[in-house]
Amino acid sequence: MLGRTLREVSAALKQGQITPTELCLKCLSLIKKTKFLNAYITVSEEVALKQAEESEKRYKKGYVPPYNATVVQKLLDQGALLMGKTNLDEFAMGSGSTDGIFGPVKNPWSYSKQYREKRKQKPHGENEETNWLITGGSSGGSAAAVSAFTCFAALGSDTGGSTRNPAAHCGVVGLKPSYGLVSRHGLIPLVNSMDVPGILTRCVDDAATVLGVLAGHDCKDSTTVQDPVKSFILPSLTDVSKLCIGIPKEYLVPELSSEVQSLWSKAAKLFESEGAKVIEVSLPHTSYSIVCYHVLCTSEVASNMARFDGLEYGHRCDINVSTEAMYAATRREGFNDVVRGRILSGNFFLLKENYENYFIKAQKVRRLIANDFVNVFNSGVDVLLTPTTLSEAVPYMEFIKEDNRTRSAQGDIFTQAVNMAGLPAVSVPMALSNQGLPIGLQFIGRAFCDQQLLTVAKWFEKQVQFPVIQLQEIMGDCSSVFENDLASVSLKQ
Amino acid sequence: MWARAGRRVLRAPRGGCRGFASRAGSPETGRIAREVVEHLERLALVDFGGPEAVARLERAVAFADRLRAVDTDGVQPLESVLEDRCLYLRSDNVVEGNCAEELLQNSHRVVEEYFVAPPGNISLPKLDEQEPFSQS
């Protein structure tokens, strides 16, 4: 290496064949050996090593994926423009989008006229800037991006509600397609039997449009079904009298905020008043659902995160003593507390002595939960109507008072059972709370009946006329562009 | 690859007996034995980083214990909601590949076309032999 030309060694450094520190050490070692030549009067060993360290940082680039996920490729093939990659909780673990390495995501509604006007009425001593609200999570960045008009659609992931939760908090539509409808190729797996790519848009029609592009069998993901893909063009429903809406009584939990509860009631009455049949149904195993999810999720995560060892991609630490020491240190540096906690919990549940009592037990409970839904749909219910979240978005400072697991259990409570049963579900914004913040409700459909689900959601959306977020204060001139353009666009049906 | 490393670790000789005769993590006390903590760290190749993390695990286990209340007699475990369908198998033809250069670019340590790993037959030191890690 030391005999190479400057250009050659530079190439070797770029390709990672040798690191700046290694090269520096080689030079220093040779300097020591050739001391008898008396060529150096001072050897600045420490300075050189420090500079090598800094040089290494410059060479360390982030991970660049060598391929596109199928869902991304499908959108690009249809001419979509990729605006960027959005922020999230690390490895999609969390329900606040607060635990990522790039920092927490702020809910655009924190800066909305609707919210700020309500806050002025209350005496408050806190600094406006520090009291911003969370987006929910884990796909909070995507929800915020769509909510703030920076893009027309965004992709998220949904393993326990990670698309629907931030959609509800950010006042946008969050769709979780049926498991097996959309390819997971390229989606970093958390729970292979529950993950799906999620779709976030500002209206239900747009979500259907994106779903139409993404749905369909992918030979690179053998868990996608081979059924021919139906159209996702949504009819404009005018008559809901043939619909049967189910209200699961076990979803009325004490922690549910009175505002969300009253909006849920109001929605049920709305369907009833328009002629639909609205009945109370039972999903008896609901209270065990979040526990079951917790066990299955951490167990699968423990397995899926094993691939991150620093060897072929991603962060790698500097320890070279042994493979195991390197893996352990790499993973300690590369994973945050949340991820590490879940991996350790998962490994606990997968221990030989615990496997039957925790993992297999949870799989059995999962069947009971999935069967609950099957029974309800078999009794004639078309769509279930539930809250998406326990309350509106909370301030970040309040959210971080509890740990991630507690917050996830609270955030996912209405959404994760759907993932365990593999059903389609969509969160639709309904109205603003007393504080001027969005509250969304969730519709759950039968497996592979995504079009029917979205048709009902579209009808509901039209009925409730959820207000547009007013961000004029922070957008300045930009907002005037919207008003002029919208007036002149006519939609051809 | 790491699974194989894990098994090697378990077979490596170490001092002291590792008694798991009783269920790991007894439900009554909720405390997780030190041997189990060490065992988990080796299996996961992720460290707890401190007593708070062990306490968090204990709470997670206590939470999971609620499942005992469910009667699952005669219920088959559900692995996939698509269990009634056949997984798709594509034909065994090579349609893509030849991207060694792209794949090698994401690694920090590469020599020619090899990913470079440190020596693999050295087991992790025990918890008390390790130097205390600083919280990152």
Side-chain angles (χ1 to χ4, degrees), chain B residues 52-75:
Chain B
E52 326 79 49
V54 180
R56 262 205 299 269
L57 175 62
E58 285 164 357
R59 284 196 295 272
V61 175
F63 186 61
D65 281 335
R66 293 191 206 175
L67 283 181
R68 285 162 208 276
V70 186
D71 178 12
T72 51
D73 277 340
V75 180

Side-chain angles (χ1 to χ4, degrees), chain A residues 17 61 64 222-223 227 291 294 306 311 314 316 320 322-324 327 331-332 340 347 358 361 363 367, chain B residues 1-2 9 44-45 47 65 70 72 76-78 83 85 87-88 105-109 116 119-120 133:
Chain A
Q17 285 167 24
K61 53 182 177 356
V64 177
S222 66
T223 60
D227 301 348
V291 185
H294 160 74
L311 211 51
R316 176 176 173 153
N320 266 319
S322 69
T323 345
E324 290 204 3
Y327 291 164
R331 289 157 69 81
R332 184 192 338 119
R340 297 212 308 264
N347 273 298
Y358 288 96
K361 179 80 180 181
Q363 286 189 314
R367 183 177 293 282
Chain B
M1 184 198 331
W2 81 275
V9 164
L45 283 177
D47 65 340
D65 281 335
V70 186
T72 51
Q76 288 301 304
L78 180 72
E83 60 186 0
R85 299 175 190 247
L87 273 187
Y88 169 79
Q105 270 187 8
N106 276 314
S107 172
H108 283 283
R109 214 151 288 184
V116 179
F133 296 125

Side-chain angles (χ1 to χ4, degrees), chain A residues 32-63:
Chain A
K32 282 199 181 82
K33 284 189 195 147
T34 54
K35 205 170 164 184
F36 59 90
L37 293 174
N38 218 9
Y40 282 78
I41 55 170
T42 314
V43 178
S44 50
E45 182 168 332
E46 276 150 291
V47 172
L49 283 171
K50 194 154 189 297
Q51 288 170 335
E53 208 184 293
E54 267 146 30
S55 170
E56 276 205 27
K57 288 197 191 116
R58 290 192 292 271
Y59 275 112
K60 268 185 184 153
K61 53 182 177 356
Y63 172 73

Side-chain angles (χ1 to χ4, degrees), chain A residues 289-305:
Chain A
S289 180
I290 188 80
V291 185
C292 178
Y293 174 74
H294 160 74
V295 174
L296 292 177
C297 179
T298 50
S299 302
E300 290 228 27
V301 156
S303 174
N304 278 321
M305 294 292 121

